[in-house]
Amino acid sequence: MIQKMRGTMDILPAEMPTWRFIEEKAREISARFGFEEIRFPTFEATELFSRGVGGTTDVVQKEMYSFTDRDGRSITLRPEGTACVARSLIENGLCSDTMPKKLFYLINCFRYEKPQAGRSREFFQFGTEMFGAAHPAADAEVIALADTLIRSLGIKDAQLHINSIGCPECRARYHAALKEYFAARQEQLCDTCKGRLQTNPMRILDCKSPICGEIGKDAPVMLDYLCDDCRDHFETLKKLLDAHGIAYDIDTRIVRGLDYYTRTVFEFICPSIGAQSTICGGGRYDGLISEIGGPSLPGIGFATGITRLILAMKLNGVEITEDNAPALYIAPMGSAAVEKAAKIVSSLRKQALYTETDLVGRSLKAQMKYADKKHARFTLILGDSEIESGKAQLKNMQTSEQTEVDINDIEPLASLLR
Ligand code: HAM
């Protein structure tokens, strides 16, 4: 039997109400904050991610689904959305639109990671990106959007962690301090981190190896190295988060796994969902647009993993069900009745009423059992005598009450079903 690829998932009908609920909330809340939806290709030129996300990140080094297409170009299934939205903004001339430009997306992403609860190789994100706003008020607003979504899904135990990783100027001083710290402990670092020491020492802080994690605990922290502008930005952000009524923890260990970030970085963490507890991650990326060939334009955004939101909702006792029961089930007996039933269901569906009839040739008893299983609100049995008289008994399945209806006049029947 052919099975799905490791790390991918089937989302079955029973799970769809929860997915739809999250997607609808995401759209509705985005609209409340003035964000517009954008869609973009599933695959892009590999260079977009190596330049945008950064050549020293795990995502680019180990996790991309890259391949050469029939024309010999290296293409990559998007591992995330930010670089794609930035590319689209530049390519479509939107960098000169009225700013800030506020966009959101619901996408699938691909990363070759070791699958476990909350981590898959094809996964789904709701993300937002705001361009052209350098003020910390933009950071606070983007965080407020994420917070509003998470709370509106009934996730009560998510904690917001914020940090600042500075700008290229102050980060250069920080990198030097980190290099010195880790160089003195080089022998204990994993092989990957020995390389990172030269290319990007901040990535060591993100290493999943327990030994590197332990060494990283006492490493210098970026907040001690911020330049005046970056410190002011962070201080103002904290005041604005207070103004929005959003609680946060300052977490100097948050460095994020993607290279484009500058200044603000943040994560919403739900410890109860297990090892993959980050339900949402984001930050500012003031250098990304120019890095991939656009003008100098600041940006800030976040993305949430939908499966992690679902895990968090379940653990918070949130259950979403949808009730799509037929308004009417018509049980026809004989070929004339089958034709009449087809006519009636067709007319009622045009009036937006969910109506079903027999499609498999069941006996009357089996049809009634089916109607019951589907929780049909009303049933109508059609036999030769009903066709002849033009009258049938509409049965309310809950009260068993019967009402005679004219089967040749749809309007009164439709109003009884509404
Ligand atoms: P990220 O932290 O790589 O950031 O991913 C964002 C979220 O996507 C994570 O917090 C997690 O919930 C979910 N996620 C990531 N990888 C997986 C996976 N393998 N399986 C399931 N869920 C996963 C970004 O992608 C940035 N583009 C976010 C951003 C937008 N920053 C600025 N704007």
Side-chain angles (χ1 to χ4, degrees), residues 57-66 76-79 110-114 119 121 123 196 208 257-258:
T57 59
D58 276 0
V59 169
V60 169
Q61 283 188 343
K62 306 184 196 161
E63 296 168 3
M64 291 208 301
Y65 278 91
S66 299
T76 294
L77 300 182
R78 58 186 174 208
F110 306 85
R111 293 185 196 173
Y112 192 82
E113 291 191 272
K114 202 168 169 208
R119 189 163 75 192
R121 291 182 171 170
F123 61 99
R196 287 169 171 156
K208 278 134 202 155
L258 313 163

Side-chain angles (χ1 to χ4, degrees), residues 172-207:
R173 287 191 287 125
Y174 177 57
H175 273 186
L178 267 187
K179 247 186 187 164
E180 201 181 305
Y181 173 84
F182 284 119
R185 294 151 183 86
Q186 192 166 358
E187 286 316 305
Q188 293 155 271
L189 296 176
C190 72
D191 287 345
T192 319
C193 283
K194 283 187 181 121
R196 287 169 171 156
L197 191 54
Q198 302 313 321
T199 54
N200 191 346
M202 239 169 72
R203 289 272 77 84
I204 303 175
L205 299 172
D206 221 19
C207 181

Side-chain angles (χ1 to χ4, degrees), residues 402-413:
Q402 308 230 24
T403 315
E404 189 176 85
V405 292
D406 183 342
I407 55 172
N408 297 314
D409 192 359
I410 286 300
E411 282 308 326
L413 175 59

Side-chain angles (χ1 to χ4, degrees), residues 59 79-82 105 111 113 118-125 128-129 256 258 260-261 267 278-283 285 300-308:
V59 169
E80 60 109 46
T82 312
Y105 48 87
R111 293 185 196 173
E113 291 191 272
R119 189 163 75 192
S120 48
R121 291 182 171 170
E122 181 185 18
F123 61 99
F124 300 84
Q125 283 188 342
T128 70
E129 313 293 351
R256 308 281 299 130
L258 313 163
Y260 46 61
Y261 291 114
E267 290 182 351
T278 307
I279 55 170
C280 173
Y285 46 86
I300 174 139
F302 70 80
T304 62
I306 310 279
T307 43
R308 292 190 196 176

Side-chain angles (χ1 to χ4, degrees), residues 95-158:
C95 292
S96 48
D97 261 20
T98 308
M99 293 293 155
K101 191 88 196 146
K102 299 186 271 187
L103 303 164
F104 80 88
Y105 48 87
L106 282 153
I107 57 168
N108 54 348
C109 299
F110 306 85
R111 293 185 196 173
Y112 192 82
E113 291 191 272
K114 202 168 169 208
Q116 64 179 90
R119 189 163 75 192
S120 48
R121 291 182 171 170
E122 181 185 18
F123 61 99
F124 300 84
Q125 283 188 342
F126 160 66
T128 70
E129 313 293 351
M130 188 195 294
F131 298 93
H135 195 277
D139 309 34
E141 220 167 87
V142 161
I143 293 173
L145 199 166
D147 183 74
T148 307
L149 175 69
I150 290 166
R151 309 292 158 207
S152 77
L153 296 176
I155 302 170
K156 296 189 193 84
D157 60 340

